[in-house]
Amino acid sequence: MANSVGSYIFNTVRGGAVGTSEALPGISGGTVALMVGLYDKLIGGAGHVVSGIKRYVTDVPRGRGKDRAQEQFRQVDWGVLIPALIGMAFALILAAVFLAPLVESYTQYAYALFFGLVLACLWIPYTGAGKTWKAWHYLLALVFASLSFFLTGLPGANLPTHPVVVFIAAAVAICALVLPGLSGSFILLTLGLYEPTMAALRSADIPYITIFVLGMITGLALFVKVLQFLLENHHHVTLVVLTGLMAGSLRALWPWQTEERDILPMTDVPVTLAFTALGFVIVVASIVWEHRARARREHEAGHESVSV
């Protein structure tokens, strides 16, 4: 997409969708990034930024210059990355202030909506590599789905808001941003740090937010390079694993459960299922729209090449 004003706005909105999801327990920012077509750009861009910073720090003091660092920075699609990050930051704060309390008040309906969203999103990594799954692919996905199901069913802890604990929790939670199926907010909720973090955002608690951000940066720098390598060198298998993680994470979004992850009897079923269907339809419509838009762009590109 050309770097026009419209594309910057579009990428900001896409980043906003990812940021909004990160403020809501249960729904993964990585899942939403896949849904809006940002995932590869975010992972690849973050990986090149980390490599560029690393080479700048190691090369410049040794007199090797900035060439290797700048080469990494040139590979980043800044027209996508910067607007997306801006949108993520603003949407995260707004969602923490306005949307998270609404979700807490209507948890069953909200989880039903997210359940439908994630269920439909399974199609994206499942078909993302454009290759046929073999029997061992399904087995591998099942293993990671079982692991994700187990982790998302664990009861919550109540860790103290000590700076070291907050730093480590942020480093772990940010990994969920780049792993579809795992929710950073859900990890914080499991650790007992979701409410303190949301409160810090609402009250602009600068010391807490600073420690949290430093933890996020550290975790992202350590993990994103691993994921970038896997996507670039083992793309299909990585998508198989991500599909399994997403499938297992549906446990966290089951509408009928307590805060301690205990399953409840199914109540208000028609309305709850209607919200699930709504979430499912939203994603299906987005996939169809993106497929048609891509086909239209390829058709137009074909006409232009013929004309030339």
Side-chain angles (χ1 to χ4, degrees), residues 283-304:
V283 174
V284 170
S286 300
I287 293 174
V288 171
W289 179 83
E290 174 61 25
H291 178 75
R292 291 181 176 178
R294 188 188 310 118
R296 185 165 54 250
R297 289 193 297 268
E298 292 174 354
H299 181 72
E300 292 173 353
H303 268 295
E304 291 177 359

Side-chain angles (χ1 to χ4, degrees), residues 3-295:
N3 290 332
S4 62
V5 174
S7 70
Y8 290 137
I9 294 175
F10 177 63
N11 290 323
T12 302
V13 171
R14 291 199 292 174
V18 177
T20 299
S21 68
E22 279 303 300
L24 307 175
I27 186 165
S28 163
T31 299
V32 176
L34 271 173
M35 186 175 69
V36 299
L38 267 180
Y39 191 74
D40 286 345
K41 291 287 187 182
L42 288 178
I43 300 302
H48 288 304
V49 169
V50 171
S51 295
I53 293 173
K54 179 181 176 181
R55 289 181 176 178
Y56 189 91
V57 171
T58 57
D59 288 359
V60 173
R62 297 178 181 178
R64 296 178 180 176
K66 307 175 184 177
D67 292 343
R68 293 205 307 167
Q70 291 175 345
E71 175 60 28
Q72 288 294 323
F73 292 143
R74 280 194 291 269
Q75 296 183 56
V76 180
D77 192 340
W78 296 104
V80 172
L81 191 63
I82 291 178
L85 291 176
I86 292 173
M88 287 172 61
F90 277 103
L92 176 61
I93 295 172
L94 291 175
V97 174
F98 299 108
L99 191 56
L102 186 64
V103 171
E104 292 172 10
S105 300
Y106 301 95
T107 303
Q108 181 171 317
Y109 298 149
Y111 274 27
L113 178 68
F114 300 151
F115 190 97
L117 287 170
V118 175
L119 182 64
C121 278
L122 288 173
W123 180 255
I124 299 174
Y126 179 75
T127 61
K131 297 180 180 180
T132 303
W133 280 39
K134 299 179 181 178
W136 71 272
H137 290 140
Y138 288 98
L139 181 59
L140 182 63
L142 180 61
V143 170
F144 279 91
S146 301
L147 177 62
S148 179
F149 186 91
F150 171 75
L151 292 175
T152 52
L154 292 175
N158 190 22
L159 297 181
T161 56
H162 188 277
V164 175
V165 174
V166 173
F167 181 90
I168 295 174
V172 174
I174 193 63
C175 294
L177 173 63
V178 296
L179 274 179
L182 295 181
S183 164
S185 292
F186 189 83
I187 289 176
L188 293 178
L189 191 64
T190 301
L191 298 175
L193 292 175
Y194 177 75
E195 284 300 330
T197 302
M198 293 299 104
L201 286 173
R202 296 187 192 110
S203 62
D205 186 343
I206 301 302
Y208 186 104
I209 294 173
T210 301
I211 294 170
F212 194 88
V213 169
L214 290 175
M216 289 173 60
I217 294 172
T218 303
L220 187 63
L222 293 174
F223 186 70
V224 74
K225 289 299 297 179
V226 175
L227 190 56
Q228 182 192 23
F229 172 82
L230 292 174
L231 285 170
E232 291 178 352
N233 297 279
H234 307 282
H235 190 253
H236 185 36
V237 174
T238 303
L239 290 181
V240 169
V241 171
L242 295 182
T243 304
L245 289 173
M246 286 176 62
S249 74
L250 288 170
R251 167 66 175 83
L253 295 171
W254 184 247
W256 296 281
Q257 62 178 306
T258 67
E259 292 184 359
E260 289 74 31
R261 319 289 189 263
D262 296 325
I263 302 299
L264 297 171
M266 296 174 64
T267 58
D268 201 8
V269 175
V271 177
T272 305
L273 292 182
F275 274 98
T276 302
L278 175 62
F280 192 91
V281 168
I282 289 173
V283 174
V284 170
S286 300
I287 293 174
V288 171
W289 179 83
E290 174 61 25
H291 178 75
R292 291 181 176 178
R294 188 188 310 118

